[in-house]
Amino acid sequence: MLTKPGMTVSRWIDGVLEKNDLIDQDSNLRGMFFWGHAPNSQTRGAEMKRAMDKLDLLVVIDPYPSATAAMAAMPGTAGDLNANRAVYLLPAATQFECAGSVTASNRSLQWREKVIEPLFESRTDHMIMYQLAQKLGFDKELVANLKMVQGKGGMPEPEIESILREINQSMWTIGYTGQSPERLKAHMRNMNVFDVKTLRAKGGVDKETGYKLDGDYFGCPWPCYGTPELKHPGSPNLYDTTRHVMDGGGNFRANFGVDRDGVNLLAEDGSHSKGADITTGYPEFDHIFLKKLGWWNELTDAEKAAAEGKNWKTDLSGGIQRVVMKNHGCHPFGNAKARAVVWNFPDPVPLHREALYSTRPDLVAKYPTHDDKKAFWRLPTLYKSVQEKNKDIGKQFPLIMSSGRLVEYEGGGEETRSNPWLAELQQEMFVEINPAAANDRGIRDGEQVWVKSPTGAKILVRALVTERVDRGTVWLPFHFSGRWQGVDMLPYYPEGAHPVVRGEAVNTATTYGYDSVTMMQETKTTVCQVERATA
Amino acid sequence: MSALRLGLLGMVAIVLVGCGERVQTIPPGGERKADTPVWENKDKRFLAPGWTPGDQNSWNAQLVDRAQAQNDYAPRK
Amino acid sequence: MARMKFICDAERCIECNGCVTACKAEHDIPWGVNRRRVVTLNDGVQGERSISVACMHCSDAPCMAVCPVDCFYRTPEGVVLHDKDICIGCGYCSYACPFGAPQFPTNGTFGLRGKMDKCTFCAGGPEENSSQAEYEKYGRNRLAEGKLPACAEMCSTKALLGGDGDVVADIFRTRVLNRGKGSEVWGWGTAYGRPTQGTPGAAPAPAKKS
């Protein structure tokens, strides 16, 4: 069960609904944990409701559990509901109610402080995880390397610094090892020493610990290699050969071997990061390579003991990374060429393949999709059969339906639509439709319309007539939930837990379609028809 | 117009003025309160560092300096 | 002496509504009262522009001129404020203001307007600076803390500039010079067309597409 890649979150409903003999594991999915996850951010909402009804166990862990709770509680298709289904809502702490490290989208890490104790019955995520592990019987193994402290109400929970330290001791491959809690906290206490344009510290000594901040990039953006003692500054830009590797520089990794079909995959002579002792391409570092180069004896005895038989990814002392980077300016993951042709993907270079649901049968014929896959991440995944069946779907559903984001809301939207200041900015779900497409359908700006999809689902939203979309396309935001095909779900929310603004979820109507490598769901292109709602 | 008419109008006016018209000037104590100058602040809890409460010139200088944070072309810590 | 002004750089405004949310949060403003709004012109079309609008703290404020109970006043910094205790909620200032700055919370029976509420340049009101009474009626007094309005300081692109008029004008001018455009959004010529030499009230030239 645990030795092959599992089902992706985008396909969990098929794990429940698919025929048992077609899935690549013994049993179907019987229990789901919605841990900080919004149901309306996943496609095929109508089928999701059926899957939710069939589960034995549904646990929602979130500061705002309302959308999942309401979707589970509302009546579905007769006969779907599993009489044994148990639904649990566990309130989790918000960002203000716990401390810990967070990673920003520029790869910097920051240490967050707790502002208030968790309110009401909410508990921190790590306390909930520990308590779940206790119930399942592997709590001792889970926290073997972690210090336990007293959390809310005196209940034990892993110390949050310990958790980051465990990450620091194990994630050598992506450089999550140098960002110790001490370095991050020192950064937060001394934000003023960091240059606002380069994010690099200019001098500075932390009063509390004496830590010298000079040279660090704010938040030690990963990859930040080696142990925290190595004091790698973090990497502000990836693959920057104008800098030394100990200065945040790097080169492309050697991840695909040394050569292929007689062609050298490593970097050519003269292509290397600044100051590297090896000025040609080189493979990933392991104990054999270090010994060949005569660098093995630069390791301490303790490091040698840990690094024997290991490589830069599995040497838990960090010695290989230290010697390679600090003493010789080389990159532990090797120095190779970047791949423009990804030979192990279904399409080595990106090719256009028409979407499964398309309004253009001529393009379907010219750019057909992949063949069906029998077992992909444990599930049968269809491409060509769906596309063939829906070749002429454009006759009934002539508009391309795309979905995306708004500024004022985030993700599934339950949290942000509960904030009155944000909710006031966008009080209704809408569909952007071109003036010509609207006029052809007798739709005026602001009127209620039904958006219907090939799944049979239809959602009731307000029309926003705008030139922003072209004549053949409509666009909807995905942040709304709380209305289901025209019906207000308010009665099914836990009392007092409903958000300020509710609306239809676009994903109630979205269709089947998954990426051929990542199983990413298709939210950007399917088809629909829009009709003016009467009465 | 005739003297009778004038007299009648005059009497109507006097009656109107005399009968229960509310005073429309602002009563004492109802005037707009005087506002304290913005650089005087007794509450020390949330003051931005770098200026002295009570000192107008210090406040002026503080705001001019702080406004430069909106300027990408100004070199600033 | 500082004369406080706002200017919103239309070249930079991305309609994020950060300013609107900052104002709401800073002063705990109820639903329905919009001290600051982002106005978008030509939405969805090439050349779409947005600006953030609130009280402009006019040198010759029409709201002050028309108020029947004289509840407005101007501080030495040029900030236009009013006294809610005197305001009668007549709404005349709302008619007079070209920017729609005066706002009225609807409360009570018959849709009665409450006391007028508007952007204070984060300078509170007549009550004691930074007192609880001032906060409850007018919101936070940031100027008294030595800070600038929350909207300008929170602006994600520094489109909305707030502060001493000379300073913000200088910042805006430096930007326009460096990028070579952006100032044509403002001004009489853009709004009404440039008059031809010597002919009073000539037909306006077509507005330059920005």
Side-chain angles (χ1 to χ4, degrees):
Chain A
M1 188 68 145
L2 291 177
T3 54
K4 60 189 173 197
M7 293 181 198
T8 59
V9 67
S10 55
R11 299 291 303 281
W12 78 265
I13 58 184
D14 290 325
V16 178
L17 298 173
E18 185 60 80
K19 288 201 257 304
N20 184 259
D21 50 332
L22 291 180
I23 59 177
D24 192 13
Q25 66 180 43
D26 288 338
S27 73
N28 283 62
L29 272 187
R30 306 276 296 275
M32 273 299 287
F33 274 70
F34 270 65
W35 209 315
H37 175 72
N40 55 319
S41 65
Q42 301 290 293
T43 53
R44 297 161 63 199
E47 289 177 84
M48 186 183 295
K49 169 59 186 160
R50 304 198 64 207
M52 258 188 205
D53 282 350
K54 287 195 156 45
L55 289 169
D56 289 336
L57 176 69
L58 174 62
V59 182
V60 185
I61 304 168
D62 203 299
Y64 294 86
S66 2
T68 320
M71 198 170 161
M74 76 181 184
T77 310
D80 269 352
L81 186 55
N82 179 351
N84 288 328
R85 186 184 73 172
V87 181
Y88 293 90
L89 305 185
L90 302 181
T94 63
Q95 67 208 65
F96 308 105
E97 294 160 311
C98 64
S101 61
V102 282
T103 311
S105 53
N106 72 328
R107 293 175 282 105
S108 287
L109 279 75
Q110 296 174 89
W111 192 268
R112 232 175 12 199
E113 302 286 353
K114 191 198 305 200
V115 177
I116 52 173
E117 284 300 311
L119 294 173
F120 310 115
E121 296 99 6
S122 60
R123 301 181 191 179
T124 59
D125 287 313
H126 44 285
M127 181 186 281
I128 296 174
M129 276 182 208
Y130 176 65
Q131 291 173 346
L132 176 65
Q134 281 181 311
K135 293 269 197 240
L136 294 173
F138 58 85
D139 51 301
K140 287 196 186 45
E141 289 82 355
L142 180 72
V143 299
N145 297 319
L146 305 176
K147 180 167 162 217
M148 298 301 286
V149 293
Q150 292 238 319
K152 178 176 176 175
M155 296 184 281
E157 66 179 17
E159 186 205 39
I160 197 82
E161 284 84 354
S162 266
I163 296 176
L164 179 59
R165 261 186 263 284
E166 189 172 50
I167 294 173
N168 291 151
Q169 284 156 9
S170 46
M171 294 182 74
W172 299 96
T173 51
I174 61 166
Y176 236 105
T177 51
Q179 304 98 332
S180 62
E182 287 68 42
R183 284 182 88 186
L184 297 181
K185 287 182 188 179
H187 282 203
M188 296 307 285
R189 284 190 292 265
N190 296 279
M191 286 167 114
N192 57 295
V193 312
F194 292 88
D195 182 288
V196 296
K197 288 213 166 87
T198 64
L199 286 191
R200 201 154 198 196
K202 292 182 180 162
V205 179
D206 178 50
K207 279 200 192 71
E208 207 171 294
T209 59
Y211 176 74
K212 292 197 178 63
L213 297 134
D214 191 33
D216 280 3
Y217 283 95
F218 182 67
C220 302
W222 61 262
C224 178
Y225 291 106
T227 59
E229 290 69 39
L230 184 63
K231 205 174 176 295
H232 186 275
S235 311
N237 301 109
L238 297 176
Y239 320 128
D240 184 358
T241 53
T242 66
R243 291 184 174 280
H244 191 278
V245 290
M246 282 305 289
D247 200 29
N251 48 244
F252 293 131
R253 63 185 184 175
N255 209 29
F256 309 107
V258 173
D259 67 59
R260 187 169 189 266
D261 297 339
V263 177
N264 175 28
L265 291 181
L266 299 178
E268 294 300 325
D269 288 358
S271 171
H272 57 87
S273 56
K274 184 174 177 194
D277 279 357
I278 304 176
T279 58
T280 65
Y282 48 88
E284 303 178 75
F285 280 87
D286 60 4
H287 70 116
I288 298 171
F289 194 17
L290 237 69
K291 286 166 185 160
K292 256 205 201 126
L293 289 164
W295 299 352
W296 180 253
N297 287 320
E298 296 173 39
L299 293 168
T300 65
D301 289 334
E303 285 171 344
K304 276 185 190 167
E308 181 58 50
K310 299 283 191 339
N311 61 37
W312 69 282
K313 300 178 268 202
T314 48
D315 162 29
L316 296 185
S317 71
I320 294 179
Q321 291 194 1
R322 178 185 71 79
V323 164
V324 165
M325 296 188 88
K326 187 135 193 223
N327 296 0
H328 298 281
C330 291
H331 205 300
F333 67 29
N335 179 22
K337 298 187 178 106
R339 277 197 312 181
V341 175
V342 185
W343 51 79
N344 50 316
F345 277 12
D347 293 330
V349 289
L351 292 179
H352 178 72
R353 288 181 188 270
E354 193 63 10
L356 300 192
Y357 291 82
S358 166
T359 57
R360 295 282 302 272
D362 56 319
L363 293 181
V364 168
K366 196 168 175 198
Y367 305 109
T369 187
H370 302 277
D371 293 324
D372 290 353
K373 292 184 207 249
K374 195 150 162 273
F376 184 38
W377 303 79
R378 304 194 190 189
L379 291 164
T381 309
L382 309 174
Y383 294 85
K384 219 176 213 113
S385 57
V386 175
Q387 194 178 56
E388 279 302 299
K389 207 171 82 165
N390 292 290
K391 242 188 348 221
D392 296 311
I393 199 83
K395 290 201 180 78
Q396 210 191 339
F397 300 97
L399 294 168
I400 295 172
M401 178 166 87
S402 190
S403 61
R405 295 182 182 270
L406 298 174
V407 177
E408 46 269 19
Y409 294 137
E410 208 298 299
E414 287 292 291
E415 181 176 359
T416 42
R417 279 180 288 106
S418 296
N419 180 320
W421 303 315
L422 296 175
E424 198 176 354
L425 294 173
Q426 186 56 256
Q427 296 175 28
E428 300 202 58
M429 171 62 173
F430 60 91
V431 56
E432 289 185 343
I433 181 167
N434 184 275
N439 290 335
D440 284 345
R441 290 164 177 78
I443 296 169
R444 305 285 299 265
D445 185 42
E447 289 186 336
Q448 296 274 76
V449 298
W450 288 103
V451 177
K452 300 181 172 177
S453 89
T455 62
K458 53 179 188 162
I459 55 177
L460 183 65
V461 299
R462 210 172 270 291
L464 200 176
V465 179
T466 172
E467 297 272 5
R468 198 183 285 274
V469 285
D470 67 27
R471 289 187 182 209
T473 311
V474 298
W475 184 93
L476 299 91
F478 81 103
H479 306 290
F480 290 82
S481 61
R483 295 188 82 90
W484 185 268
Q485 305 198 57
V487 176
D488 190 353
M489 289 161 76
L490 182 59
Y492 308 110
Y493 280 84
E495 190 170 327
H498 59 90
V500 178
V501 164
R502 290 182 308 288
E504 293 273 9
V506 64
N507 279 317
T508 305
T510 45
T511 54
Y512 192 99
Y514 300 95
D515 179 79
S516 59
V517 175
T518 62
M519 195 70 101
M520 182 61 197
Q521 60 188 5
E522 180 60 87
T523 49
K524 299 301 181 189
T525 174
T526 181
V527 296
C528 72
Q529 175 62 286
V530 179
E531 280 169 24
R532 189 169 175 277
T534 44
Chain B
M1 74 180 115
S2 68
L4 186 62
R5 246 201 156 154
L6 203 60
L8 206 60
L9 272 162
M11 275 186 24
V12 171
I14 291 166
V15 168
L16 275 173
V17 168
C19 294
E21 219 183 69
R22 235 198 265 143
V23 169
Q24 292 191 344
T25 50
I26 296 172
E31 296 98 1
R32 192 183 347 112
K33 296 180 262 315
D35 193 3
T36 33
V38 76
W39 53 83
E40 278 170 20
N41 192 345
K42 293 207 192 83
D43 187 334
K44 305 280 181 261
R45 284 176 301 160
F46 305 113
L47 297 180
W51 69 288
T52 325
D55 180 354
Q56 183 186 350
N57 291 325
S58 162
W59 180 87
N60 250 316
Q62 157 75 359
L63 282 209
V64 167
D65 178 61
R66 199 165 166 118
Q68 284 302 329
Q70 296 168 106
N71 188 359
D72 316 294
Y73 298 98
R76 188 176 178 83
K77 228 4 201 75
Chain C
M1 170 55 68
R3 152 151 262 135
M4 294 299 173
K5 289 290 170 196
F6 281 120
I7 186 167
C8 183
D9 189 345
E11 279 299 305
R12 284 208 189 181
C13 180
I14 56 171
E15 203 193 334
C16 74
N17 277 287
C19 51
V20 173
T21 315
C23 177
K24 282 268 184 180
E26 193 75 357
H27 308 292
D28 205 9
I29 296 171
W31 188 283
V33 174
N34 304 294
R35 289 192 181 186
R36 181 167 281 285
R37 277 140 291 134
V38 174
V39 175
T40 303
L41 304 172
N42 294 334
D43 185 61
V45 184
Q46 280 285 346
E48 168 186 318
R49 286 288 183 281
S50 299
I51 56 163
S52 172
V53 185
C55 173
M56 297 302 273
H57 300 280
C58 307
S59 313
D60 183 9
C63 57
M64 197 182 311
V66 305
C67 176
V69 292
D70 192 28
C71 76
F72 287 88
Y73 63 99
R74 185 182 294 108
T75 71
E77 293 73 47
V79 176
V80 175
L81 299 175
H82 73 296
D83 189 334
K84 283 193 183 186
D85 292 333
I86 296 177
C87 172
I88 58 171
C90 72
Y92 206 6
C93 54
S94 180
Y95 281 116
C97 176
F99 302 101
Q103 298 283 307
F104 295 88
T106 41
N107 49 20
T109 42
F110 309 111
L112 286 173
R113 275 190 295 262
K115 306 278 182 180
M116 187 281 272
D117 185 76
K118 73 166 186 70
C119 160
T120 60
F121 209 87
C122 289
E127 308 289 344
E128 172 83 39
N129 286 345
S130 298
S131 64
Q132 184 64 17
E134 190 193 42
Y135 178 75
E136 279 168 11
K137 287 184 187 160
Y138 306 100
R140 190 85 175 270
N141 191 335
R142 287 174 65 89
L143 287 195
E145 294 168 12
K147 301 171 185 162
L148 289 168
C151 51
E153 297 207 313
M154 290 271 239
C155 177
S156 50
T157 55
K158 302 196 179 75
L160 181 60
L161 302 169
D164 180 287
D166 291 333
V167 176
V168 297
D170 191 58
I171 295 173
F172 187 60
R173 181 174 39 243
T174 312
R175 271 193 207 166
V176 170
L177 286 174
N178 271 281
R179 68 190 177 206
K181 66 185 180 110
S183 70
E184 69 278 358
V185 179
W186 306 105
W188 192 276
T190 303
Y192 302 110
R194 304 207 169 279
T196 47
Q197 191 87 324
T199 40
K208 206 165 62 166
K209 267 211 163 57
S210 49

